[in-house]
Amino acid sequence: MLTIQALHKQFQQQEVLQGIDLHVQDGEIVALLGPSGSGKSTLLQCVGGILPPTSGEIFIDDTLINGESGHISYMPQHHCLLPWRTVLQNVLLAQELSGTINKEEAAEWIERIGLGDYLHAYPHEISGGMKQRISFLRALLSPQSLLCLDEPFSALDEITRHKMHIWLLDMWKKRQKSILFITHQIDEALFLANRIYVLSDRPAIIKAEIQVPFPKERTKELLETEEFFQARTQLLNLLME
Ligand code: ADP
Ligand code: MG
């Protein structure tokens, strides 16, 4: 699905990404876990075609996509809702661009994420957490098969975040999407991902690649198991090294 080879990114004198190799296979959920300021958003912006890499290659299947947008569904760290469009119109944006609109489904999902009363509200009328949920939904419902999500749940309270995790897994199963997401939360990475890449401090390299040892079906009971606790300690140690 996605292959990144020897990706370097430099801003003026500052080297941010120092040779990143990673891949996402069809149907996988992969987490990028790293300290803040390490270059995670920069990496995703390169994949989304918003920033050109300084060197290295990004492929979707066998197509080189350096500097090209539109190949993936990308949710930026700061929501990019259009202020002149309603909640529903914002969710439909990605579908409109590809010419396959499903209004009923979008409205059902908006209801499901608890924003049914805000279908026709404008972004300035809703909270930051609501905007994040809408931006997430827009990515989820867009037609591309790879979703790249930059800290999709960071602005949400614990309970809402957990519900979104369950929806993401549900949607992933139904739609056979592949997902690459950024987080700085160990629990989130472990709960959602099949594999985790741990990034170093800037300039970022891949410090470790971890196969998450849990079954594909994830339920909240997993969070209380001994295995989960051990995996979390291992990751925490890695991050602190
Ligand atoms: P993270 O998402 O891991 O917190 P970022 O990728 O946002 O980190 O930023 C990594 C570094 O790259 C930071 O030092 C930031 O200042 C720098 N950076 C990010 N975008 C730009 C840009 N457009 N121009 C110059 N420097 C940038
Ligand atoms: Mg970031």
Side-chain angles (χ1 to χ4, degrees), residues 23-35:
H23 66 275
V24 178
Q25 282 164 9
D26 267 344
E28 243 191 334
I29 304 186
V30 174
L32 265 175
L33 181 66

Side-chain angles (χ1 to χ4, degrees), residues 107-119:
E108 266 169 38
W109 269 95
I110 293 170
E111 181 84 44
R112 213 159 155 194
I113 62 167
L115 297 177
D117 291 342
Y118 297 91
L119 215 57

Side-chain angles (χ1 to χ4, degrees), residues 11-12 14 16 35-43 51 77 202:
F11 295 109
Q12 289 91 37
Q14 186 186 44
V16 176
S36 68
S38 57
K40 303 183 297 299
S41 294
T42 302
L43 177 57
L51 286 174
Q77 184 163 7
R202 196 178 62 241

Side-chain angles (χ1 to χ4, degrees), residues 125-191:
E125 298 171 303
I126 61 177
S127 72
M130 290 175 179
K131 286 180 198 150
Q132 195 177 33
R133 274 183 273 169
I134 293 300
S135 170
F136 169 65
L137 195 56
R138 179 168 66 192
L140 213 59
L141 295 179
S142 60
Q144 292 92 340
S145 47
L146 176 64
L147 305 186
C148 291
L149 312 171
D150 195 344
E151 301 201 22
F153 312 114
S154 58
L156 306 178
D157 63 82
E158 191 90 16
I159 296 161
T160 310
R161 182 184 310 151
H162 189 67
K163 284 185 188 164
M164 305 293 279
H165 289 167
I166 301 292
W167 286 325
L168 178 69
L169 292 174
D170 186 37
M171 197 66 160
W172 168 68
K173 261 195 323 214
K174 284 192 185 126
R175 297 226 169 177
Q176 303 179 330
K177 299 270 186 188
S178 310
I179 299 171
L180 175 64
F181 76 101
I182 289 177
T183 183
H184 53 246
Q185 290 198 314
I186 295 178
D187 286 13
E188 186 164 279
L190 279 173
F191 185 69

